Amino acid sequence: MTNVAVYNREGVSVGEIELNPYIFENQINVPVMHQAVLVYLASRRRGTHAVKTRGQVAGTTKKPWRQKGTGRARVGSTKNPVWTGGGVAFGPQVRSHNISMPKKMRRVAVLSALSQKAADGDIIVLEELNFEAPKTKEMARILKNLAAQNALLVLEENNTNAALSAGNLPTVSTVGATGVNTYLVLRHGKLVLTKEALASLEEVLG
């Protein structure tokens, strides 16, 4: 069983909470985590890169000169890839970069990442994180008290003011319990959760 401290906004421990061993004490599978990160990054690529082939280049289709008798190499089109201004052979075209990954493997990957954070002592649980209005300076102060300036902040649903408060912090990302993924967990140094968000995460993954 793994217990972690529960902190208030001042970074003072106010108790302990037990982490679900089914989620935070799994065998760490590095190859699967690596594959999950590749899948995530590939899915973010838009795939809109493209060059013109010889059939798409504007210009005449007339043969530049007759086939024989000129002493020059035979050419059928000025749009062929050999010529300046011609099309590109085997260039990039619009396509999807998505990579498929089985749901069970994605689950193994995210559980491995969470278990890695727990093993490294990089999980911080907050008693609460409610704001009457978005306050970036206050959020920065709280995270500094927790020594978690580079953090993935997992919030409960509809905690809009807290999410907006962290929106302008370049080294902080916010996500709901259902949006936690391997890439985000591994990308940040600390995993910061509210007690309510932790309960939601354990319900989603449990």
Side-chain angles (χ1 to χ4, degrees):
M1 297 294 181
T2 302
N3 290 346
V4 295
V6 178
Y7 295 93
N8 61 18
R9 290 172 174 244
E10 307 305 318
V12 178
S13 176
V14 293
E16 281 192 349
I17 192 169
E18 183 181 316
L19 297 179
N20 188 337
Y22 184 73
I23 298 173
F24 294 98
E25 294 182 15
N26 286 274
Q27 182 178 355
I28 298 167
N29 193 323
V30 175
V32 174
M33 287 195 293
H34 177 255
Q35 184 173 343
V37 169
L38 291 182
V39 168
Y40 179 83
L41 292 177
S43 69
R44 294 179 64 182
R45 297 182 66 179
R46 298 183 66 185
T48 54
H49 43 23
V51 295
K52 290 184 178 181
T53 63
R54 62 186 296 164
Q56 296 168 325
V57 174
T60 181
T61 57
K62 182 182 177 181
K63 187 173 175 66
W65 50 77
R66 61 195 173 95
Q67 181 82 345
K68 293 178 178 291
T70 64
R72 289 178 288 185
R74 53 193 176 186
V75 177
S77 170
T78 58
K79 299 192 293 182
N80 75 70
V82 176
W83 281 43
T84 301
V88 177
F90 310 114
Q93 296 297 324
V94 175
R95 68 184 181 90
S96 170
H97 289 275
N98 289 344
I99 305 171
S100 63
M101 185 176 183
K103 187 182 293 185
K104 288 184 178 180
M105 287 183 67
R106 293 200 301 268
R107 179 181 175 82
V108 168
V110 72
L111 292 179
S112 292
L114 292 171
S115 299
Q116 182 71 67
K117 288 297 180 189
D120 294 342
D122 289 330
I123 294 180
I124 298 172
V125 179
L126 270 170
E127 194 173 28
E128 56 83 25
L129 197 59
N130 298 319
F131 291 81
E132 294 183 1
K135 293 288 183 182
T136 300
K137 185 180 290 187
E138 176 64 12
M139 178 64 79
R141 185 188 71 83
I142 293 171
L143 294 177
K144 184 177 181 181
N145 291 339
L146 298 169
Q149 288 91 333
N150 180 8
L152 174 63
L153 190 57
V154 184
L155 301 170
E156 59 274 18
E157 298 296 328
N158 301 320
N159 194 346
T160 307
N161 286 338
L164 291 174
S165 298
N168 284 335
L169 300 176
T171 58
V172 178
S173 297
T174 59
V175 71
T178 56
V180 173
N181 62 65
T182 308
Y183 173 78
L184 289 177
V185 172
L186 296 178
R187 179 173 177 244
H188 297 85
K190 299 288 184 180
L191 180 64
V192 180
L193 313 95
T194 62
K195 286 179 69 175
E196 188 175 339
L198 176 60
S200 297
L201 181 66
E202 291 180 341
E203 183 177 345
V204 169
L205 297 176

PDB file of all heavy atoms in Angstrom, residues 16-46:
ATOM      1  N   GLU A  16      -2.972  12.224   5.297  1.00  0.00           N
ATOM      2  CA  GLU A  16      -2.484  11.240   4.334  1.00  0.00           C
ATOM      3  C   GLU A  16      -3.664  10.600   3.611  1.00  0.00           C
ATOM      4  O   GLU A  16      -4.797  10.608   4.110  1.00  0.00           O
ATOM      5  CB  GLU A  16      -1.673  10.142   5.035  1.00  0.00           C
ATOM      6  CG  GLU A  16      -0.253  10.536   5.375  1.00  0.00           C
ATOM      7  CD  GLU A  16       0.581   9.336   5.795  1.00  0.00           C
ATOM      8  OE1 GLU A  16      -0.009   8.250   6.018  1.00  0.00           O
ATOM      9  OE2 GLU A  16       1.807   9.470   5.885  1.00  0.00           O
ATOM     10  N   ILE A  17      -3.385  10.069   2.441  1.00  0.00           N
ATOM     11  CA  ILE A  17      -4.395   9.360   1.683  1.00  0.00           C
ATOM     12  C   ILE A  17      -3.745   8.145   1.042  1.00  0.00           C
ATOM     13  O   ILE A  17      -2.564   8.182   0.667  1.00  0.00           O
ATOM     14  CB  ILE A  17      -5.039  10.283   0.624  1.00  0.00           C
ATOM     15  CG1 ILE A  17      -6.294   9.630   0.041  1.00  0.00           C
ATOM     16  CG2 ILE A  17      -4.054  10.615  -0.490  1.00  0.00           C
ATOM     17  CD1 ILE A  17      -7.138  10.577  -0.801  1.00  0.00           C
ATOM     18  N   GLU A  18      -4.501   7.065   0.958  1.00  0.00           N
ATOM     19  CA  GLU A  18      -3.968   5.821   0.395  1.00  0.00           C
ATOM     20  C   GLU A  18      -4.277   5.765  -1.101  1.00  0.00           C
ATOM     21  O   GLU A  18      -5.409   6.006  -1.533  1.00  0.00           O
ATOM     22  CB  GLU A  18      -4.610   4.622   1.106  1.00  0.00           C
ATOM     23  CG  GLU A  18      -4.070   3.279   0.634  1.00  0.00           C
ATOM     24  CD  GLU A  18      -4.744   2.117   1.335  1.00  0.00           C
ATOM     25  OE1 GLU A  18      -4.914   2.193   2.574  1.00  0.00           O
ATOM     26  OE2 GLU A  18      -5.118   1.155   0.644  1.00  0.00           O
ATOM     27  N   LEU A  19      -3.259   5.467  -1.880  1.00  0.00           N
ATOM     28  CA  LEU A  19      -3.441   5.332  -3.322  1.00  0.00           C
ATOM     29  C   LEU A  19      -3.883   3.915  -3.654  1.00  0.00           C
ATOM     30  O   LEU A  19      -3.443   2.951  -3.035  1.00  0.00           O
ATOM     31  CB  LEU A  19      -2.127   5.638  -4.057  1.00  0.00           C
ATOM     32  CG  LEU A  19      -1.572   7.056  -3.909  1.00  0.00           C
ATOM     33  CD1 LEU A  19      -0.250   7.177  -4.672  1.00  0.00           C
ATOM     34  CD2 LEU A  19      -2.562   8.104  -4.397  1.00  0.00           C
ATOM     35  N   ASN A  20      -4.744   3.813  -4.644  1.00  0.00           N
ATOM     36  CA  ASN A  20      -5.240   2.510  -5.072  1.00  0.00           C
ATOM     37  C   ASN A  20      -4.092   1.703  -5.677  1.00  0.00           C
ATOM     38  O   ASN A  20      -3.532   2.075  -6.704  1.00  0.00           O
ATOM     39  CB  ASN A  20      -6.353   2.715  -6.113  1.00  0.00           C
ATOM     40  CG  ASN A  20      -7.044   1.415  -6.472  1.00  0.00           C
ATOM     41  OD1 ASN A  20      -6.502   0.331  -6.314  1.00  0.00           O
ATOM     42  ND2 ASN A  20      -8.263   1.524  -6.968  1.00  0.00           N
ATOM     43  N   PRO A  21      -3.729   0.565  -5.056  1.00  0.00           N
ATOM     44  CA  PRO A  21      -2.589  -0.216  -5.577  1.00  0.00           C
ATOM     45  C   PRO A  21      -2.840  -0.788  -6.966  1.00  0.00           C
ATOM     46  O   PRO A  21      -1.900  -1.040  -7.710  1.00  0.00           O
ATOM     47  CB  PRO A  21      -2.434  -1.339  -4.543  1.00  0.00           C
ATOM     48  CG  PRO A  21      -3.765  -1.442  -3.878  1.00  0.00           C
ATOM     49  CD  PRO A  21      -4.331  -0.053  -3.861  1.00  0.00           C
ATOM     50  N   TYR A  22      -4.105  -0.973  -7.337  1.00  0.00           N
ATOM     51  CA  TYR A  22      -4.434  -1.496  -8.661  1.00  0.00           C
ATOM     52  C   TYR A  22      -4.028  -0.515  -9.763  1.00  0.00           C
ATOM     53  O   TYR A  22      -3.782  -0.909 -10.893  1.00  0.00           O
ATOM     54  CB  TYR A  22      -5.932  -1.774  -8.730  1.00  0.00           C
ATOM     55  CG  TYR A  22      -6.384  -2.415 -10.019  1.00  0.00           C
ATOM     56  CD1 TYR A  22      -6.099  -3.757 -10.291  1.00  0.00           C
ATOM     57  CD2 TYR A  22      -7.086  -1.686 -10.972  1.00  0.00           C
ATOM     58  CE1 TYR A  22      -6.501  -4.346 -11.478  1.00  0.00           C
ATOM     59  CE2 TYR A  22      -7.496  -2.267 -12.166  1.00  0.00           C
ATOM     60  CZ  TYR A  22      -7.198  -3.597 -12.400  1.00  0.00           C
ATOM     61  OH  TYR A  22      -7.593  -4.173 -13.584  1.00  0.00           O
ATOM     62  N   ILE A  23      -3.935   0.774  -9.390  1.00  0.00           N
ATOM     63  CA  ILE A  23      -3.598   1.822 -10.359  1.00  0.00           C
ATOM     64  C   ILE A  23      -2.162   2.300 -10.205  1.00  0.00           C
ATOM     65  O   ILE A  23      -1.460   2.530 -11.195  1.00  0.00           O
ATOM     66  CB  ILE A  23      -4.567   3.016 -10.209  1.00  0.00           C
ATOM     67  CG1 ILE A  23      -6.003   2.568 -10.512  1.00  0.00           C
ATOM     68  CG2 ILE A  23      -4.160   4.180 -11.115  1.00  0.00           C
ATOM     69  CD1 ILE A  23      -7.042   3.618 -10.219  1.00  0.00           C
ATOM     70  N   PHE A  24      -1.702   2.425  -8.977  1.00  0.00           N
ATOM     71  CA  PHE A  24      -0.421   3.078  -8.721  1.00  0.00           C
ATOM     72  C   PHE A  24       0.702   2.123  -8.306  1.00  0.00           C
ATOM     73  O   PHE A  24       1.792   2.573  -7.972  1.00  0.00           O
ATOM     74  CB  PHE A  24      -0.592   4.142  -7.626  1.00  0.00           C
ATOM     75  CG  PHE A  24      -1.471   5.285  -8.041  1.00  0.00           C
ATOM     76  CD1 PHE A  24      -2.805   5.323  -7.688  1.00  0.00           C
ATOM     77  CD2 PHE A  24      -0.954   6.333  -8.803  1.00  0.00           C
ATOM     78  CE1 PHE A  24      -3.616   6.390  -8.077  1.00  0.00           C
ATOM     79  CE2 PHE A  24      -1.749   7.395  -9.189  1.00  0.00           C
ATOM     80  CZ  PHE A  24      -3.087   7.423  -8.826  1.00  0.00           C
ATOM     81  N   GLU A  25       0.458   0.813  -8.344  1.00  0.00           N
ATOM     82  CA  GLU A  25       1.509  -0.138  -7.979  1.00  0.00           C
ATOM     83  C   GLU A  25       1.621  -1.244  -9.022  1.00  0.00           C
ATOM     84  O   GLU A  25       1.764  -2.419  -8.701  1.00  0.00           O
ATOM     85  CB  GLU A  25       1.239  -0.730  -6.591  1.00  0.00           C
ATOM     86  CG  GLU A  25       1.333   0.299  -5.468  1.00  0.00           C
ATOM     87  CD  GLU A  25       1.108  -0.318  -4.097  1.00  0.00           C
ATOM     88  OE1 GLU A  25       1.157  -1.563  -3.991  1.00  0.00           O
ATOM     89  OE2 GLU A  25       0.883   0.451  -3.148  1.00  0.00           O
ATOM     90  N   ASN A  26       1.574  -0.860 -10.280  1.00  0.00           N
ATOM     91  CA  ASN A  26       1.682  -1.826 -11.369  1.00  0.00           C
ATOM     92  C   ASN A  26       3.134  -2.007 -11.787  1.00  0.00           C
ATOM     93  O   ASN A  26       3.995  -1.163 -11.515  1.00  0.00           O
ATOM     94  CB  ASN A  26       0.867  -1.343 -12.568  1.00  0.00           C
ATOM     95  CG  ASN A  26      -0.617  -1.500 -12.349  1.00  0.00           C
ATOM     96  OD1 ASN A  26      -1.188  -2.546 -12.610  1.00  0.00           O
ATOM     97  ND2 ASN A  26      -1.252  -0.450 -11.832  1.00  0.00           N
ATOM     98  N   GLN A  27       3.385  -3.114 -12.473  1.00  0.00           N
ATOM     99  CA  GLN A  27       4.704  -3.320 -13.063  1.00  0.00           C
ATOM    100  C   GLN A  27       4.910  -2.276 -14.157  1.00  0.00           C
ATOM    101  O   GLN A  27       4.023  -2.039 -14.982  1.00  0.00           O
ATOM    102  CB  GLN A  27       4.802  -4.731 -13.645  1.00  0.00           C
ATOM    103  CG  GLN A  27       6.167  -5.050 -14.232  1.00  0.00           C
ATOM    104  CD  GLN A  27       6.248  -6.475 -14.749  1.00  0.00           C
ATOM    105  OE1 GLN A  27       5.310  -7.257 -14.589  1.00  0.00           O
ATOM    106  NE2 GLN A  27       7.356  -6.815 -15.378  1.00  0.00           N
ATOM    107  N   ILE A  28       6.073  -1.651 -14.187  1.00  0.00           N
ATOM    108  CA  ILE A  28       6.341  -0.562 -15.125  1.00  0.00           C
ATOM    109  C   ILE A  28       6.832  -1.145 -16.440  1.00  0.00           C
ATOM    110  O   ILE A  28       7.881  -1.784 -16.495  1.00  0.00           O
ATOM    111  CB  ILE A  28       7.359   0.419 -14.524  1.00  0.00           C
ATOM    112  CG1 ILE A  28       6.776   1.044 -13.263  1.00  0.00           C
ATOM    113  CG2 ILE A  28       7.728   1.498 -15.531  1.00  0.00           C
ATOM    114  CD1 ILE A  28       7.764   1.793 -12.409  1.00  0.00           C
ATOM    115  N   ASN A  29       6.064  -0.915 -17.491  1.00  0.00           N
ATOM    116  CA  ASN A  29       6.354  -1.463 -18.813  1.00  0.00           C
ATOM    117  C   ASN A  29       6.827  -0.323 -19.717  1.00  0.00           C
ATOM    118  O   ASN A  29       6.028   0.386 -20.320  1.00  0.00           O
ATOM    119  CB  ASN A  29       5.098  -2.129 -19.389  1.00  0.00           C
ATOM    120  CG  ASN A  29       5.400  -2.983 -20.595  1.00  0.00           C
ATOM    121  OD1 ASN A  29       6.251  -2.634 -21.405  1.00  0.00           O
ATOM    122  ND2 ASN A  29       4.688  -4.095 -20.720  1.00  0.00           N
ATOM    123  N   VAL A  30       8.136  -0.157 -19.812  1.00  0.00           N
ATOM    124  CA  VAL A  30       8.712   0.962 -20.571  1.00  0.00           C
ATOM    125  C   VAL A  30       8.427   0.872 -22.066  1.00  0.00           C
ATOM    126  O   VAL A  30       8.052   1.871 -22.685  1.00  0.00           O
ATOM    127  CB  VAL A  30      10.232   1.067 -20.297  1.00  0.00           C
ATOM    128  CG1 VAL A  30      10.860   2.150 -21.162  1.00  0.00           C
ATOM    129  CG2 VAL A  30      10.479   1.369 -18.823  1.00  0.00           C
ATOM    130  N   PRO A  31       8.588  -0.283 -22.718  1.00  0.00           N
ATOM    131  CA  PRO A  31       8.299  -0.341 -24.163  1.00  0.00           C
ATOM    132  C   PRO A  31       6.873   0.059 -24.516  1.00  0.00           C
ATOM    133  O   PRO A  31       6.642   0.743 -25.520  1.00  0.00           O
ATOM    134  CB  PRO A  31       8.583  -1.806 -24.510  1.00  0.00           C
ATOM    135  CG  PRO A  31       9.546  -2.271 -23.476  1.00  0.00           C
ATOM    136  CD  PRO A  31       9.142  -1.558 -22.231  1.00  0.00           C
ATOM    137  N   VAL A  32       5.905  -0.353 -23.704  1.00  0.00           N
ATOM    138  CA  VAL A  32       4.510  -0.004 -23.985  1.00  0.00           C
ATOM    139  C   VAL A  32       4.285   1.487 -23.771  1.00  0.00           C
ATOM    140  O   VAL A  32       3.553   2.134 -24.532  1.00  0.00           O
ATOM    141  CB  VAL A  32       3.551  -0.847 -23.117  1.00  0.00           C
ATOM    142  CG1 VAL A  32       2.110  -0.380 -23.295  1.00  0.00           C
ATOM    143  CG2 VAL A  32       3.657  -2.318 -23.487  1.00  0.00           C
ATOM    144  N   MET A  33       4.919   2.066 -22.759  1.00  0.00           N
ATOM    145  CA  MET A  33       4.809   3.511 -22.548  1.00  0.00           C
ATOM    146  C   MET A  33       5.393   4.276 -23.729  1.00  0.00           C
ATOM    147  O   MET A  33       4.826   5.273 -24.189  1.00  0.00           O
ATOM    148  CB  MET A  33       5.526   3.923 -21.252  1.00  0.00           C
ATOM    149  CG  MET A  33       4.813   3.538 -19.981  1.00  0.00           C
ATOM    150  SD  MET A  33       5.452   4.390 -18.508  1.00  0.00           S
ATOM    151  CE  MET A  33       7.083   3.681 -18.375  1.00  0.00           C
ATOM    152  N   HIS A  34       6.530   3.785 -24.224  1.00  0.00           N
ATOM    153  CA  HIS A  34       7.156   4.415 -25.389  1.00  0.00           C
ATOM    154  C   HIS A  34       6.238   4.370 -26.596  1.00  0.00           C
ATOM    155  O   HIS A  34       6.062   5.373 -27.310  1.00  0.00           O
ATOM    156  CB  HIS A  34       8.480   3.709 -25.700  1.00  0.00           C
ATOM    157  CG  HIS A  34       9.163   4.224 -26.926  1.00  0.00           C
ATOM    158  ND1 HIS A  34       9.164   3.522 -28.122  1.00  0.00           N
ATOM    159  CD2 HIS A  34       9.847   5.363 -27.170  1.00  0.00           C
ATOM    160  CE1 HIS A  34       9.814   4.208 -29.033  1.00  0.00           C
ATOM    161  NE2 HIS A  34      10.249   5.336 -28.482  1.00  0.00           N
ATOM    162  N   GLN A  35       5.606   3.226 -26.814  1.00  0.00           N
ATOM    163  CA  GLN A  35       4.703   3.095 -27.947  1.00  0.00           C
ATOM    164  C   GLN A  35       3.488   4.017 -27.791  1.00  0.00           C
ATOM    165  O   GLN A  35       3.029   4.631 -28.758  1.00  0.00           O
ATOM    166  CB  GLN A  35       4.236   1.647 -28.090  1.00  0.00           C
ATOM    167  CG  GLN A  35       3.366   1.415 -29.323  1.00  0.00           C
ATOM    168  CD  GLN A  35       3.047  -0.046 -29.544  1.00  0.00           C
ATOM    169  OE1 GLN A  35       3.705  -0.920 -28.986  1.00  0.00           O
ATOM    170  NE2 GLN A  35       2.038  -0.325 -30.342  1.00  0.00           N
ATOM    171  N   ALA A  36       2.983   4.144 -26.566  1.00  0.00           N
ATOM    172  CA  ALA A  36       1.825   5.009 -26.323  1.00  0.00           C
ATOM    173  C   ALA A  36       2.160   6.472 -26.595  1.00  0.00           C
ATOM    174  O   ALA A  36       1.337   7.221 -27.132  1.00  0.00           O
ATOM    175  CB  ALA A  36       1.340   4.838 -24.885  1.00  0.00           C
ATOM    176  N   VAL A  37       3.383   6.877 -26.252  1.00  0.00           N
ATOM    177  CA  VAL A  37       3.803   8.250 -26.523  1.00  0.00           C
ATOM    178  C   VAL A  37       3.895   8.486 -28.032  1.00  0.00           C
ATOM    179  O   VAL A  37       3.455   9.526 -28.537  1.00  0.00           O
ATOM    180  CB  VAL A  37       5.163   8.547 -25.840  1.00  0.00           C
ATOM    181  CG1 VAL A  37       5.735   9.874 -26.325  1.00  0.00           C
ATOM    182  CG2 VAL A  37       4.989   8.574 -24.329  1.00  0.00           C
ATOM    183  N   LEU A  38       4.449   7.526 -28.764  1.00  0.00           N
ATOM    184  CA  LEU A  38       4.528   7.647 -30.221  1.00  0.00           C
ATOM    185  C   LEU A  38       3.138   7.758 -30.838  1.00  0.00           C
ATOM    186  O   LEU A  38       2.907   8.568 -31.745  1.00  0.00           O
ATOM    187  CB  LEU A  38       5.265   6.447 -30.811  1.00  0.00           C
ATOM    188  CG  LEU A  38       6.760   6.326 -30.522  1.00  0.00           C
ATOM    189  CD1 LEU A  38       7.324   5.089 -31.230  1.00  0.00           C
ATOM    190  CD2 LEU A  38       7.509   7.567 -30.973  1.00  0.00           C
ATOM    191  N   VAL A  39       2.202   6.957 -30.352  1.00  0.00           N
ATOM    192  CA  VAL A  39       0.831   6.981 -30.869  1.00  0.00           C
ATOM    193  C   VAL A  39       0.197   8.346 -30.609  1.00  0.00           C
ATOM    194  O   VAL A  39      -0.471   8.923 -31.479  1.00  0.00           O
ATOM    195  CB  VAL A  39      -0.007   5.856 -30.225  1.00  0.00           C
ATOM    196  CG1 VAL A  39      -1.486   6.037 -30.527  1.00  0.00           C
ATOM    197  CG2 VAL A  39       0.475   4.502 -30.713  1.00  0.00           C
ATOM    198  N   TYR A  40       0.409   8.878 -29.405  1.00  0.00           N
ATOM    199  CA  TYR A  40      -0.177  10.179 -29.047  1.00  0.00           C
ATOM    200  C   TYR A  40       0.395  11.296 -29.920  1.00  0.00           C
ATOM    201  O   TYR A  40      -0.347  12.123 -30.450  1.00  0.00           O
ATOM    202  CB  TYR A  40       0.091  10.471 -27.577  1.00  0.00           C
ATOM    203  CG  TYR A  40      -0.444  11.811 -27.110  1.00  0.00           C
ATOM    204  CD1 TYR A  40      -1.769  11.949 -26.726  1.00  0.00           C
ATOM    205  CD2 TYR A  40       0.382  12.936 -27.067  1.00  0.00           C
ATOM    206  CE1 TYR A  40      -2.263  13.173 -26.310  1.00  0.00           C
ATOM    207  CE2 TYR A  40      -0.113  14.163 -26.668  1.00  0.00           C
ATOM    208  CZ  TYR A  40      -1.434  14.278 -26.276  1.00  0.00           C
ATOM    209  OH  TYR A  40      -1.920  15.500 -25.877  1.00  0.00           O
ATOM    210  N   LEU A  41       1.713  11.313 -30.074  1.00  0.00           N
ATOM    211  CA  LEU A  41       2.340  12.373 -30.866  1.00  0.00           C
ATOM    212  C   LEU A  41       1.963  12.255 -32.341  1.00  0.00           C
ATOM    213  O   LEU A  41       1.785  13.269 -33.023  1.00  0.00           O
ATOM    214  CB  LEU A  41       3.863  12.314 -30.701  1.00  0.00           C
ATOM    215  CG  LEU A  41       4.396  12.673 -29.312  1.00  0.00           C
ATOM    216  CD1 LEU A  41       5.911  12.501 -29.265  1.00  0.00           C
ATOM    217  CD2 LEU A  41       4.018  14.100 -28.937  1.00  0.00           C
ATOM    218  N   ALA A  42       1.831  11.021 -32.835  1.00  0.00           N
ATOM    219  CA  ALA A  42       1.435  10.831 -34.228  1.00  0.00           C
ATOM    220  C   ALA A  42       0.023  11.336 -34.474  1.00  0.00           C
ATOM    221  O   ALA A  42      -0.274  11.922 -35.520  1.00  0.00           O
ATOM    222  CB  ALA A  42       1.542   9.354 -34.605  1.00  0.00           C
ATOM    223  N   SER A  43      -0.853  11.149 -33.491  1.00  0.00           N
ATOM    224  CA  SER A  43      -2.243  11.573 -33.657  1.00  0.00           C
ATOM    225  C   SER A  43      -2.378  13.089 -33.676  1.00  0.00           C
ATOM    226  O   SER A  43      -3.382  13.625 -34.157  1.00  0.00           O
ATOM    227  CB  SER A  43      -3.112  10.999 -32.534  1.00  0.00           C
ATOM    228  OG  SER A  43      -2.790  11.595 -31.289  1.00  0.00           O
ATOM    229  N   ARG A  44      -1.368  13.788 -33.153  1.00  0.00           N
ATOM    230  CA  ARG A  44      -1.417  15.250 -33.135  1.00  0.00           C
ATOM    231  C   ARG A  44      -0.959  15.867 -34.455  1.00  0.00           C
ATOM    232  O   ARG A  44      -1.168  17.054 -34.685  1.00  0.00           O
ATOM    233  CB  ARG A  44      -0.532  15.783 -32.002  1.00  0.00           C
ATOM    234  CG  ARG A  44      -1.021  15.421 -30.614  1.00  0.00           C
ATOM    235  CD  ARG A  44      -0.097  15.946 -29.532  1.00  0.00           C
ATOM    236  NE  ARG A  44      -0.067  17.398 -29.519  1.00  0.00           N
ATOM    237  CZ  ARG A  44       0.707  18.114 -28.689  1.00  0.00           C
ATOM    238  NH1 ARG A  44       1.502  17.499 -27.843  1.00  0.00           N
ATOM    239  NH2 ARG A  44       0.696  19.419 -28.725  1.00  0.00           N
ATOM    240  N   ARG A  45      -0.354  15.067 -35.326  1.00  0.00           N
ATOM    241  CA  ARG A  45       0.108  15.586 -36.607  1.00  0.00           C
ATOM    242  C   ARG A  45      -1.079  15.785 -37.539  1.00  0.00           C
ATOM    243  O   ARG A  45      -1.939  14.913 -37.665  1.00  0.00           O
ATOM    244  CB  ARG A  45       1.119  14.625 -37.244  1.00  0.00           C
ATOM    245  CG  ARG A  45       2.379  14.446 -36.421  1.00  0.00           C
ATOM    246  CD  ARG A  45       3.367  13.529 -37.118  1.00  0.00           C
ATOM    247  NE  ARG A  45       3.878  14.113 -38.349  1.00  0.00           N
ATOM    248  CZ  ARG A  45       4.778  13.527 -39.134  1.00  0.00           C
ATOM    249  NH1 ARG A  45       5.268  12.340 -38.791  1.00  0.00           N
ATOM    250  NH2 ARG A  45       5.194  14.113 -40.235  1.00  0.00           N
ATOM    251  N   ARG A  46      -1.128  16.915 -38.198  1.00  0.00           N
ATOM    252  CA  ARG A  46      -2.270  17.223 -39.053  1.00  0.00           C
ATOM    253  C   ARG A  46      -2.194  16.489 -40.393  1.00  0.00           C
ATOM    254  O   ARG A  46      -3.208  16.197 -41.002  1.00  0.00           O
ATOM    255  CB  ARG A  46      -2.343  18.735 -39.300  1.00  0.00           C
ATOM    256  CG  ARG A  46      -2.556  19.541 -38.021  1.00  0.00           C
ATOM    257  CD  ARG A  46      -2.685  21.017 -38.316  1.00  0.00           C
ATOM    258  NE  ARG A  46      -3.885  21.306 -39.086  1.00  0.00           N
ATOM    259  CZ  ARG A  46      -4.177  22.509 -39.547  1.00  0.00           C
ATOM    260  NH1 ARG A  46      -3.368  23.521 -39.317  1.00  0.00           N
ATOM    261  NH2 ARG A  46      -5.284  22.709 -40.251  1.00  0.00           N
TER     262      ARG A  46
END
